[in-house]
Amino acid sequence: MSSPWVVHRNGEEHIFYSLSHPKKIYRKKIPPSFGDSVVVAHCGDWFLFSQRDTHFSLWNPTISDSFIRLPPLSLKPNQKITHYLLSSPPGDPDCKVLLFNYGSIIVIRPDAPHKEWTHIQTEDRLRGYKDLNLLNEVHVFKLDFDGMSWKRAESLMGHTVFFNAEEAASSFNPAFGKGIEADSIYFTLPKEKGLLYSFNVTDGCLSVTLPCPTVPSHWSSPMILMPHDVRSEQGKRFDEKEDRSSARIVRVGETSFLDLPLECQEMIADCLNLFDRRSFRATCRDFRLIPKLQHRQALQRFKSCASSSTMWLLLSVNDMTAFKFVDPVHGTSFLMSVPESLKGSVVRYSSNGWLLMSDGKSSMSFLNPFTEEIIKLPLTEQCASSYAMAFTSLPTFPNCTVVDCGASPPTATGSKLSILLTTTPDNWVDGSIENNAIFRINNSSPVFYKESFYLLGLDGKLSVLKCVDLEDDLGFYWTIVWDILERLETPYKSFYQNFLLECDGKLMSIFVGEMGKWLQIYSLNFTEMRWEKVESIGNYVIYVSRSSSIAIEASIMGTVESFYNTKEPLLATWIEPLCSSFI
């Protein structure tokens, strides 16, 4: 085996295939003596089988007569094994089987002459995990041993990490296996049958690897097998010393742009398009002396850019310190540094070329990345737990209203929504609204439609936020009304993703099946209060993301037939490339 393998199981039958050669499969059956045992851990080519957490066995399907039966384990009635670990393959002097229980670790050495289980008491610090319905973000951290603190990792130093939904991680150098992407994490998720995901740490994109076509859909979630000989091969290669006796370095004279006068640097910058000019200025501190373009100049330069499309995909990369813009039509891309005061902030909403960004603590700001304009919003404590944000118009307009929604999990008696509203740059108006209906707020963007904010819930329910003017003895005032449209039936009870947007003057919802197996669009009939299926959106193209969903008139036609092996950037949004502060 020269690269990691994926394993599917159905009862006693197992299917193996390499990530380098996914169409070449091997079938193996576990020994009949295993009974109803299930695989709970593995290391290299060895599997750890468990039968009701009382009888454990080791087996290597690549070696004949490799069956190792461990002595029976006796557990107390209230004891339950939460995690399993095979530290190394049998034959290794450090090989151990470890079973983790709340408050104890149970360990055995399979190669010991008189092997027996040993119970070690520990502190109750282990925690389980909750099933994941939808993957929104992936973060990687590295331990700083000097400061004993965790710091975000911008890459995996060219390596790849593999882990299963219920097992520990393994590291692998993709240089020793074809078809493996460096700086990526390959993993499976609970209840995601037959799917293998990969997340690239460098560009922040999520992909779904095409499952083996011969594996039935009702089989178990795949496991990732790290062959032991791959690790040995890595060790041998890393131990080899390079013979550099014949190497020599030749130095030649170099000419730097920094040696040119500022006037010449400006002339070079003036020959570049808008995006290349911005990248040129961001190269070093000296190039930042080149004057910025004024708004009118930037707009003219942008309109003359032949590669500009109607919509761009914006990705937060390099630990959210830079933006990567991708032109979906021409395939071009460029990087742009995030302003220093906004580094680490997440894009929460996008409209008309402006971004609403939050640091997840107390700060929210508007940013136009094309003009570098920043508008600070009042500080607030709620944005750390917010689920959905939006704004009504250009931030430069005096009546621009920002809404910030957060929610606690609904109870049996109803739901509660926390609301923040502000008309920039005034203070926030906060409040808490309760409703006796059940509404599970989605982390997708609200839609401002006909003077109200509409929110599409996780289960497909629709709710409305509206500011209402009222009058009492003290004068006029306004309040926020939250209405959950209970009599509006959801088109689907089970779906993978849902989005809400305005298209051609109508409020539309989009429901997507698992891995894009189906997609349906509906338009809301306000008179009869029901969703009507849309057969055609005419000459429109719809762009959807968690932070912006936009419909525009089409300029080209095209479709994607499958989601497999395509990338889904998790920290991404669609943005209209508009340079002007006013439209």
Side-chain angles (χ1 to χ4, degrees):
M1 296 183 182
S2 59
S3 67
W5 286 57
V6 176
V7 181
H8 293 265
R9 67 178 183 274
N10 181 32
E12 65 179 18
E13 187 175 9
H14 285 65
I15 286 181
F16 302 78
Y17 65 91
S18 169
L19 289 178
S20 300
H21 305 284
K23 295 185 178 180
K24 187 176 182 180
I25 67 171
Y26 301 85
R27 294 179 179 269
K28 289 280 186 177
K29 288 189 176 182
I30 63 174
S33 58
F34 278 37
D36 57 353
S37 298
V38 295
V39 176
V40 292
H42 70 83
C43 183
D45 301 336
W46 285 85
F47 290 89
L48 175 65
F49 285 82
S50 170
Q51 187 177 23
R52 301 185 185 90
D53 284 346
T54 58
H55 294 77
F56 293 85
S57 305
L58 294 169
W59 178 54
N60 187 333
T62 66
I63 301 176
S64 301
D65 302 325
S66 60
F67 173 68
I68 300 176
R69 185 181 295 278
L70 300 177
L73 175 65
S74 177
L75 294 174
K76 296 179 180 179
N78 61 341
Q79 282 186 307
K80 182 180 180 181
I81 305 300
T82 59
H83 293 78
Y84 310 79
L85 177 64
L86 177 62
S87 64
S88 57
D92 189 312
D94 292 327
C95 176
K96 304 181 188 68
V97 174
L98 297 101
L99 312 178
F100 295 86
N101 179 1
Y102 289 114
S104 67
I105 298 177
I106 306 171
V107 61
I108 192 173
R109 291 179 177 271
D111 295 334
H114 305 287
K115 44 183 175 286
E116 60 182 13
W117 295 100
T118 302
H119 295 251
I120 304 173
Q121 294 300 123
T122 63
E123 296 183 17
D124 186 10
R125 292 183 177 177
L126 296 178
R127 296 290 184 268
Y129 61 83
K130 296 180 179 179
D131 289 346
L132 298 177
N133 295 321
L134 184 62
L135 187 67
N136 291 320
E137 296 184 21
V138 177
H139 299 283
V140 180
F141 297 86
K142 58 182 178 181
L143 180 60
D144 178 9
F145 285 93
D146 294 331
M148 291 307 295
S149 61
W150 291 102
K151 295 184 177 180
R152 288 186 182 274
E154 297 183 7
S155 72
L156 297 177
M157 305 298 291
H159 278 247
T160 300
V161 172
F162 300 85
F163 68 87
N164 299 317
E166 304 179 11
E167 299 181 28
S170 302
S171 180
F172 176 74
N173 190 319
F176 306 121
K178 297 179 181 180
I180 311 301
E181 188 176 13
D183 289 308
S184 296
I185 302 172
Y186 287 78
F187 60 94
T188 61
L189 291 178
K191 298 184 179 180
E192 292 282 358
K193 302 294 185 182
L195 297 181
L196 176 64
Y197 293 86
S198 67
F199 175 77
N200 188 287
V201 178
T202 304
D203 60 21
C205 291
L206 178 71
S207 302
V208 179
T209 302
L210 180 65
C212 180
T214 58
V215 177
S217 59
H218 65 275
W219 280 44
S220 69
S221 298
M223 295 187 302
I224 304 175
L225 170 62
M226 284 296 298
H228 185 61
D229 56 350
V230 172
R231 299 177 183 181
S232 302
E233 183 182 0
Q234 290 186 44
K236 293 179 181 179
R237 296 201 180 189
F238 281 120
D239 290 340
E240 292 177 357
K241 295 183 179 179
E242 182 181 357
D243 183 8
R244 300 186 178 182
S245 58
S246 60
R248 60 192 183 95
I249 300 176
V250 179
R251 298 187 181 275
V252 296
E254 296 179 354
T255 301
S256 172
F257 277 112
L258 298 177
D259 298 329
L260 298 175
L262 180 60
E263 294 80 5
C264 295
Q265 296 176 9
E266 291 182 29
M267 292 175 62
I268 295 173
D270 288 339
C271 297
L272 304 175
N273 64 40
L274 175 65
F275 307 118
D276 290 340
R277 180 190 176 97
R278 291 179 61 90
S279 300
F280 185 68
R281 288 189 68 253
T283 304
C284 66
R285 183 178 302 174
D286 291 336
F287 287 170
R288 295 191 187 101
L289 298 176
I290 299 173
K292 297 181 181 179
L293 293 176
Q294 299 300 316
H295 294 169
R296 182 172 299 178
Q297 294 174 309
L299 182 59
Q300 292 176 347
R301 187 70 62 88
F302 179 79
K303 289 182 176 179
S304 65
C305 180
S307 64
S308 62
S309 297
T310 307
M311 296 295 298
W312 287 71
L313 187 64
L314 181 146
L315 293 77
S316 295
V317 297
N318 297 340
D319 197 17
M320 293 181 289
T321 61
F323 290 140
K324 181 179 181 180
F325 292 84
V326 180
D327 183 336
V329 176
H330 301 87
T332 58
S333 64
F334 68 93
L335 288 175
M336 178 188 299
S337 295
V338 174
E340 193 66 33
S341 62
L342 297 180
K343 287 185 177 179
S345 296
V346 178
V347 176
R348 304 304 301 270
Y349 190 71
S350 170
S351 179
N352 292 323
W354 284 87
L355 303 174
L356 178 60
M357 304 185 68
S358 165
D359 66 353
K361 298 177 182 178
S362 60
S363 176
M364 283 191 282
S365 304
F366 285 110
L367 169 67
N368 188 320
F370 304 104
T371 63
E372 296 184 317
E373 290 178 88
I374 298 176
I375 300 177
K376 291 285 187 179
L377 290 170
L379 297 178
T380 175
E381 295 182 358
Q382 178 173 304
C383 68
S385 58
S386 297
Y387 285 79
M389 299 181 186
F391 54 90
T392 59
S393 59
L394 288 174
T396 51
F397 285 4
N399 62 345
C400 176
T401 302
V402 181
V403 64
D404 178 2
C405 304
S408 303
T411 64
T413 58
S415 307
K416 184 177 180 180
L417 193 65
S418 301
I419 299 294
L420 285 176
L421 278 177
T422 185
T423 301
T424 57
D426 298 333
N427 293 327
W428 290 102
V429 175
D430 60 348
S432 180
I433 311 174
E434 295 186 9
N435 197 301
N436 56 9
I438 302 299
F439 185 81
R440 295 177 174 84
I441 190 170
N442 202 347
N443 63 343
S444 60
S445 56
V447 174
F448 186 66
Y449 179 77
K450 294 185 177 180
E451 305 304 319
S452 298
F453 287 100
Y454 287 80
L455 297 93
L456 190 62
L458 278 173
D459 53 5
K461 283 187 178 180
L462 189 67
S463 70
V464 189
L465 288 172
K466 188 172 183 178
C467 296
V468 179
D469 293 324
L470 299 175
E471 182 182 6
D472 59 13
D473 295 338
L474 299 178
F476 289 94
Y477 68 98
W478 59 268
T479 186
I480 304 173
V481 177
W482 184 31
D483 185 18
I484 300 176
L485 307 180
E486 286 226 276
R487 69 185 185 96
L488 177 63
E489 294 187 3
T490 303
Y492 286 95
K493 300 299 182 183
S494 177
F495 51 87
Y496 186 69
Q497 290 177 308
N498 60 353
F499 303 92
L500 191 69
L501 75 155
E502 180 182 354
C503 178
D504 196 19
K506 301 176 182 178
L507 188 65
M508 292 188 177
S509 61
I510 300 176
F511 293 86
V512 185
E514 183 181 0
M515 292 299 104
K517 292 180 180 178
W518 56 265
L519 183 150
Q520 296 293 339
I521 304 176
Y522 294 85
S523 175
L524 182 58
N525 183 326
F526 283 88
T527 303
E528 301 179 9
M529 196 50 66
R530 63 184 178 90
W531 290 110
E532 296 180 343
K533 189 175 181 179
V534 176
E535 300 294 342
S536 172
I537 57 174
N539 193 36
Y540 279 87
V541 174
I542 293 177
Y543 299 83
V544 294
S545 70
R546 287 299 169 195
S547 49
S548 64
S549 295
I550 305 169
I552 62 172
E553 292 192 42
S555 56
I556 60 172
M557 301 299 292
T559 61
V560 177
E561 295 181 357
S562 172
F563 277 85
Y564 290 116
N565 295 321
T566 60
K567 293 187 175 183
E568 176 190 356
L570 296 184
L571 295 177
T573 185
W574 293 103
I575 184 171
E576 299 162 276
L578 304 173
C579 293
S580 178
S581 299
F582 300 91
I583 298 180

